[in-house]
Amino acid sequence: MAKPPSFLTAIFEEDIKIKEERPKVTLTFAQSLDAKIAGVGGKQLILSGRESMVMTHWMRTVHDGILVGVGTALNDDPQLNTRHLPAGVPHSLPIPVVMDRRCRLAVDCKLIRNYAEGRGKQPWVIYSKTEDTEVLERKEKLESSGAKIIESDENNGFFPGVSGVLRTLYSLGIRSLMVEGGAQIIDSFARSGLVDRLVVTVAPVVVGPLGIGYTLDPASLARLSFQATEGVGIDHIIGFLSK
Ligand SMILES: NC(=O)C1=CN([C@@H]2O[C@H](COP(=O)(O)OP(=O)(O)OC[C@H]3O[C@@H](n4cnc5c(N)ncnc54)[C@H](OP(=O)(O)O)[C@@H]3O)[C@@H](O)[C@H]2O)C=CC1
Ligand SMILES: Nc1nc(O)c(N)c(N[C@@H]2O[C@H](COP(=O)(O)O)[C@@H](O)[C@H]2O)n1
C-alpha cells in the first residue's frame, strides 16, 4: 500500500463536531468472514494481510492515543506502534493507553519494555480507584516500571467507564483516540454511542465457531453512516463516519 485509500483519508479529514469535552474516537478492528477477531481460546490471529496492516499502522499515526483493553494487552502483548510503515518517513506515534481497572498489565510487557528501551511512548494505564491492597501493589509496580497510572473519572451509569475515560484522556491532551479492541472494549465503546469513526477490516478467512467474536447491539452505532467499502490487498475495508 503506497498510500492510504482515499476514502479513508477523507474520513479522517472530515471535521467532526462534538459537544462533549472528549477525544474523537475511531473504533477499528480486523475480523474474519465469519466475524471472529481471534482464534480458539482467544489465540491472537493475524487476520489482516500485509497491505491492510500497513493501512492500520497509518491510521495509528493520525491519532494522539491508541487504546486497548487489558484482555488484549495480556493476551497479545501488543506494541501498538507504527513499525510496518516505511522507515525514514517521519510520522507521529500515538500514546498507548490500556483500560485496566485492576492494574493487571504485566510489568514486563512490550509496551513497558519498548518505553524503557527508548523505542516507544510511555504507556498509560487507566485504573479505577480502590482500597484493594493487591491492586495497589500492582499499581505501584507498574508505576515503578515506567507506566503512567491514571485514575479514571468513572461515570458509571449504563456504559461503565467509557465516557469517564474519554473525559480523563481529553483533560490530558488526547484529542483523537484509536480504539483497537478487544471484544469487550468493542462492545463497550459501541454501546457508549461515543464512536465517531468505525473502520473494519474483513479478511478472506474463516475461523470457525470456536473463535472469539464480538457483539454490536443494532442500535449502538446509530450515529454512524456507511461511507465506503474498498479492497486493500486481499482484504476489504468498511468505513463509517458520524452523521
Ligand atoms: N482482530 C482484532 O482486530 C483484534 C483482536 N483482539 C483479540 O481480542 C481478544 C481480547 O478481547 P477481550 O478478552 O474481550 O479483552 P479486551 O481487550 O476487550 O479487554 C477487556 C478488559 O478490559 C477491562 N476494561 C476496563 N474498562 C472496560 C470497559 N469499560 N469495558 C470493557 N472492558 C473494560 C476489563 O478488565 P478489568 O475489569 O480488569 O479492567 C475487561 O475484562 C484477544 O483474543 C485478542 O487477540 C484484540 C484486539 C483487536
Ligand atoms: N488490524 C489488525 N489486524 C489484525 O489481524 C490483528 N490481529 C489486529 N490486532 C490488533 O493489533 C494489536 C497488535 O498490535 P502490534 O502488532 O503488536 O502493534 C493487537 O493487540 C490488536 O489490538 N489488528
Side-chain angles (χ1 to χ4, degrees), residues 127-136:
Y127 98 112
S128 294
K129 193 174 178 179
T130 179
E131 306 282 299
D132 184 326
T133 51
E134 284 182 17
V135 176
L136 293 172

Side-chain angles (χ1 to χ4, degrees), residues 20-104:
E20 312 91 6
E21 294 211 321
R22 64 164 178 86
K24 289 170 187 165
V25 173
T26 304
L27 177 61
T28 185
F29 52 89
Q31 68 162 63
S32 61
L33 273 183
D34 53 343
K36 305 295 181 195
I37 63 166
V40 180
K43 181 179 163 22
Q44 183 183 20
L45 296 179
I46 303 306
L47 294 163
S48 300
R50 192 176 56 81
E51 288 88 351
S52 70
M53 192 63 98
V54 172
M55 181 207 75
T56 296
H57 280 221
W58 172 81
M59 277 199 290
R60 290 176 175 182
T61 69
V62 295
H63 292 87
D64 297 331
I66 178 165
L67 181 146
V68 294
V70 67
T72 296
L74 292 173
N75 190 74
D76 298 359
D77 196 10
Q79 304 196 62
L80 307 179
N81 56 20
T82 56
R83 67 193 179 281
H84 292 311
L85 296 181
V89 184
H91 53 257
S92 123
L93 200 60
I95 292 171
V97 181
V98 182
M99 277 177 85
D100 181 14
R101 296 183 184 105
R102 293 171 284 152
C103 292
R104 293 190 287 141

